[in-house]
Amino acid sequence: MEIEHVQLQKHGDHGGMLIALEQDRNVPFEIRRVYYIFATQHDVHRGKHAHRHLHQLAVAVRGSVTFLLDDGTGPVEVVLNDPSQGLLLGRMVWRELYDFSDDCVLMVLADHLYDPADYITDYDEFLREVRGAVFATELVACQSA
């Protein structure tokens, strides 16, 4: 699955902490968009989509949130609850976000501007596309051998 935990370097002392997010250093892509989610009720489920091309880095800068992630091979659950931990999400990963703490602020950095055509919002369609992409990759590999 194209996901990775990213440890972010903390700088600080008794006066407070700072984490810098820098393109091509701890963010492995050009940052084209930044957004954040807050004031989400605990029982709300967000996301429920995949991206065809977008890569993202998610950081729970405050509180916690649970991600259910799937690349077509089965779901994995990841909890973000540390502002020094990022979650790198690649393309074609279904994501659903839930169990938001009352104080959760989730910041997301993305490598593309918002594009509604990049979203797959139907899980069955996602499975068809991701399995078709895997089949095409395997077919090319077999033809090359």
Side-chain angles (χ1 to χ4, degrees):
M1 185 174 309
E2 207 176 331
I3 64 169
E4 178 183 339
H5 288 275
V6 177
Q7 181 63 50
L8 304 171
Q9 187 176 7
K10 297 183 283 188
H11 304 277
D13 55 26
H14 68 280
M17 300 303 292
L18 177 141
I19 292 177
L21 298 173
E22 298 176 306
Q23 176 177 307
D24 298 324
R25 288 197 174 172
N26 58 1
V27 179
F29 52 76
E30 179 181 358
I31 301 167
R32 302 284 314 274
R33 182 172 185 238
V34 177
Y35 63 91
Y36 52 96
I37 299 168
F38 64 101
T40 305
Q41 300 297 314
H42 181 75
D43 60 346
V44 168
H45 286 235
R46 296 190 58 125
K48 298 182 184 180
H49 65 269
H51 291 282
R52 291 180 175 95
H53 305 289
L54 190 73
H55 290 82
Q56 298 176 307
L57 178 68
V59 179
V61 295
R62 182 176 181 109
S64 66
V65 60
T66 301
F67 283 72
L68 181 71
L69 304 169
D70 187 358
D71 66 353
T73 62
V76 173
E77 204 172 60
V78 176
V79 175
L80 280 183
N81 60 4
D82 179 346
S84 69
Q85 291 282 319
L87 182 62
L88 190 60
L89 300 168
R91 58 182 296 283
M92 295 305 286
V93 175
W94 184 267
R95 77 274 328 263
E96 186 171 335
L97 291 69
Y98 53 92
D99 287 341
F100 289 84
S101 64
D102 292 337
D103 61 344
C104 182
V105 178
L106 179 69
M107 179 180 61
V108 181
L109 290 73
D111 69 345
H112 286 86
L113 299 176
Y114 173 74
D115 178 6
D118 189 54
Y119 284 71
I120 305 170
T121 57
D122 179 86
Y123 184 71
D124 291 330
E125 174 62 23
F126 162 73
L127 289 176
R128 282 191 294 277
E129 285 193 36
V130 76
R131 290 178 179 157
V134 168
F135 175 75
T137 301
E138 291 171 354
L139 182 62
V140 168
C142 288
Q143 291 173 342
S144 299

